C-alpha cells in the first residue's frame, strides 16, 4: 500500500478533496494549518513520494516551471515559433532566478499528462505552461484534478479557472483577408494546420467570417504543417477550372513550399497568384519574392505566459491575458490580380 499510495488515497482517508491534499503536500496556500499537518503526517506514514513530502515539510522553493511539447520532434526542430516563445519564457525566468524543465515528447498528449503528473508528484516543478490547446483538451481537467498550477496558452474557455493567454485569431484572420480583398481577390485558399488544435479552428472560422463580409469565397484544406501538404494543396487547387487567386498558409515552411510549387507550375507570384504566410520568420524573407506574412511577437507571448504562471504560483489570480495584436507585413508575394 505504501509504495502505491496516491493523493486520492490520502484524500479518502482524511475525508478531504484531492486539491486540498495537493496544496498541503506542495506548500501551496488554500488549506488550514491542522489539515496541512494531517496530510503531511499521513503522506509520511504511507510513504507517498518522499521527495514531494520533503519539499512540503521543509517549505523549500523549487523555482522551476515545466513545459512538455507534444509535437513530433521533426516539426519542433524547424518551427521558429517554439524557439521564440521559449526565448521569451526564459527571459522572465532568468530575471526572476527560476528555471525551465523542458521535455519534447512527440505527438503524444496522454504522455504529456503523465509527465506533468510525475513532475508534480516528485516535487520537481511549481507549475506548467500548456501550449497547443486541443479540441476537448484533457490536460485542463488533469491539471485541475491534481492541483497543479497551470497557465493555458489559448482560450478563453468557459467553466475553467486556469489563466488563459489569449490570441485574437479572428482579428488576425481579418488582417489577412482585408489585405487580399483590397487587392481585388475574390477566390482564396486557406491551407491550415490540424483542426485538432484550437487555434487552427479559430483561424478557419476567422477566415471564413472575414471572407463572407467581403464577398470572397474560401476553400479550406487541412494540413499537418508539412511542406508536402502545401505542395499537394497547390497541385489540387490549381488544377481546378476556377482556381484561387491567393493562398494563405498556416506556417512559414508551408508558405515557402507553396510558393515554390506555384512557380514550378509556371504561375507568376504575385501577378497571377498571391501568397500570404500566417507565420513570419527569417525564412519568409529568404525567398524571392519575399513573403507577405503575419508578424506575431512570440517572445512577448512567452514572457506573458511565464509572468502569468509566476503570478499564479505567488498566489495571484490572473484570468485572461490578451496577446498584443498581430501586424501584417506586406511584401512582394501579394499584389493585385494581373
Amino acid at each position: 500500500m505504501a509504495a502505491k499510495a496516491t493523493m486520492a488515497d490520502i484524500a479518502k482517508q482524511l475525508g478531504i478533496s484531492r486539491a486540498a491534499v495537493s496544496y498541503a503536500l506542495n506548500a501551496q496556500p488554500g488549506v488550514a494549518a491542522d489539515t496541512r499537518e494531517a496530510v503531511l503526517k499521513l503522506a509520511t506514514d504511507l510513504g507517498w513520494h518522499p521527495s514531494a513530502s520533503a519539499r512540503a515539510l521543509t517549505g523549500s522553493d523549487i523555482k522551476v516551471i515545466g513545459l512538455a511539447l507534444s509535437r513530433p520532434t521533426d516539426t519542433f526542430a524547424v518551427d521558429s515559433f517554439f524557439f521564440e516563445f521559449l526565448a521569451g519564457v526564459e527571459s522572465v525566468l532568468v530575471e526572476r532566478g527560476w528555471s525551465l524543465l523542458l521535455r519534447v515528447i512527440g505527438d503524444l498528449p496522454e504522455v504529456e499528462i503523465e509527465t506533468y503528473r510525475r513532475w508534480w508528484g516528485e516535487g520537481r516543478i511549481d507549475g506548467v505552461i500548456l501550449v497547443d490547446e486541443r479540441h476537448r483538451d484533457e490536460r485542463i481537467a488533469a491539471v485541475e484534478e491534481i492541483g497543479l498550477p497551470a497557465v493555458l496558452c489559448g482560450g478563453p474557455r468557459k467553466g475553467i479557472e486556469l489563466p488563459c493567454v489569449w490570441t485574437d485569431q479572428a482579428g488576425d484572420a481579418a488582417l489577412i483577408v482585408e489585405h487580399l480583398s483590397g487587392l481585388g481577390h475574390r477566390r482564396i485558399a486557406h491551407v491550415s494546420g490540424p483542426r485538432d488544435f484550437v487555434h487552427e479552428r479559430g483561424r478557419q472560422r476567422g477566415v471564413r467570417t472575414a471572407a463572407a463580409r467581403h464577398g470572397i469565397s474560401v476553400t479550406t484544406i487541412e494540413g499537418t504543417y508539412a511542406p508536402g501538404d502545401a505542395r499537394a494543396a497547390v497541385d489540387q487547387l490549381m488544377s481546378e477550372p476556377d482556381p484561387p487567386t491567393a493562398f494563405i498558409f498556416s506556417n512559414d515552411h508551408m508558405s515557402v513550399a507553396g510558393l515554390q510549387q506555384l512557380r514550378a507550375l509556371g504561375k507568376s507570384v504575385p501577378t497571377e497568384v498571391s501568397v500570404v504566410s500566417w507565420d513570419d520568420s527569417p525564412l519568409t524573407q529568404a525567398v524571392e519574392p519575399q513573403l507577405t506574412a503575419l508578424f506575431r511577437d512570440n517572445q512577448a507571448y512567452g514572457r506573458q505566459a511565464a509572468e502569468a504562471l509566476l503570478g499564479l504560483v505567488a498566489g495571484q489570480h490572473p484570468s485572461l491575458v490578451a496577446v498584443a495584436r498581430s501586424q501584417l507585413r506586406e511584401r512582394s508575394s501579394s499584389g493585385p490580380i494581373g
Side-chain angles (χ1 to χ4, degrees):
M1 173 65 178
K4 298 181 180 179
T6 66
M7 283 191 291
D9 297 325
I10 298 171
K12 183 177 181 180
Q13 289 196 38
L14 295 178
I16 60 177
S17 69
R18 277 180 286 187
V21 172
S22 178
Y23 292 146
L25 288 172
N26 293 284
Q28 301 293 327
V31 293
D34 58 344
T35 300
R36 187 184 307 278
E37 182 179 351
V39 168
L40 294 176
K41 183 179 184 305
L42 182 57
T44 301
D45 292 343
L46 294 175
W48 183 85
H49 293 301
S51 59
S53 300
R55 175 192 171 198
L57 287 166
T58 61
S60 61
D61 292 327
I62 301 299
K63 289 193 172 182
V64 175
I65 68 171
L67 177 58
L69 297 175
S70 53
R71 283 283 190 100
T73 53
D74 56 347
T75 300
F76 172 75
V78 297
D79 195 332
S80 63
F81 165 79
F82 287 116
F83 295 105
E84 293 170 358
F85 180 84
L86 290 173
V89 170
E90 284 282 24
S91 69
V92 172
L93 299 185
V94 169
E95 181 182 300
R96 308 281 184 87
W98 283 59
S99 299
L100 175 67
L101 180 56
L102 175 66
R103 182 69 48 82
V104 182
I105 59 178
D107 191 15
L108 300 166
E110 67 281 2
V111 175
E112 181 178 349
I113 292 173
E114 290 308 312
T115 299
Y116 291 145
R117 194 183 303 275
R118 184 177 66 256
W119 284 351
W120 182 242
E122 294 173 351
R124 300 176 65 187
I125 56 173
D126 293 285
V128 296
I129 297 174
L130 304 179
V131 299
D132 282 340
E133 180 189 6
R134 296 172 183 263
H135 185 57
R136 300 189 178 94
D137 200 320
E138 296 180 356
R139 299 174 303 169
I140 296 171
V143 297
E144 290 182 330
E145 176 192 357
I146 65 177
L148 171 59
V151 166
L152 175 65
C153 290
R157 293 182 61 141
K158 296 179 180 179
I160 69 168
E161 297 182 0
L162 299 188
C164 295
V165 185
W166 173 71
T167 300
D168 182 6
Q169 304 293 352
D172 285 355
L175 285 176
I176 297 174
V177 173
E178 286 167 7
H179 169 67
L180 293 173
S181 176
L183 295 172
H185 295 277
R186 291 297 175 265
R187 298 184 308 281
I188 65 177
H190 178 201
V191 185
S192 78
R195 276 182 55 81
D196 189 42
F197 293 129
V198 170
H199 68 269
E200 289 294 351
R201 289 173 178 252
R203 291 177 181 183
Q204 289 184 16
R205 286 194 301 269
V207 168
R208 289 195 298 267
T209 300
R213 287 198 301 267
H214 293 279
I216 296 173
S217 65
V218 179
T219 300
T220 303
I221 294 181
E222 180 180 352
T224 65
Y225 300 123
D229 293 339
R231 289 190 287 268
V234 168
D235 283 343
Q236 173 187 332
L237 295 178
M238 296 308 295
S239 66
E240 295 181 352
D242 201 14
T245 61
F247 279 82
I248 304 168
F249 295 98
S250 265
N251 74 355
D252 51 353
H253 286 268
M254 285 203 296
S255 299
V256 170
L259 170 66
Q260 293 172 335
Q261 191 64 20
L262 284 165
R263 297 179 70 174
L265 294 175
K267 301 298 180 182
S268 174
V269 178
T271 304
E272 294 178 274
V273 186
S274 288
V275 176
V276 178
S277 175
W278 210 302
D279 187 13
D280 190 26
S281 74
L283 187 59
T284 63
Q285 299 178 66
V287 293
E288 181 60 38
Q290 294 187 359
L291 290 166
T292 293
L294 193 69
F295 171 75
R296 294 165 290 152
D297 192 340
N298 295 323
Q299 289 195 40
Y301 188 12
R303 287 193 295 270
Q304 287 178 290
E307 288 168 352
L309 180 56
L310 295 190
L312 181 65
V313 171
Q316 302 169 14
H317 297 282
S319 54
L320 186 62
V321 180
V323 175
R325 183 81 181 269
S326 302
Q327 302 170 18
L328 188 68
R329 292 182 168 173
E330 299 180 22
R331 301 190 181 103
S332 51
S333 70
S334 61
I337 300 174

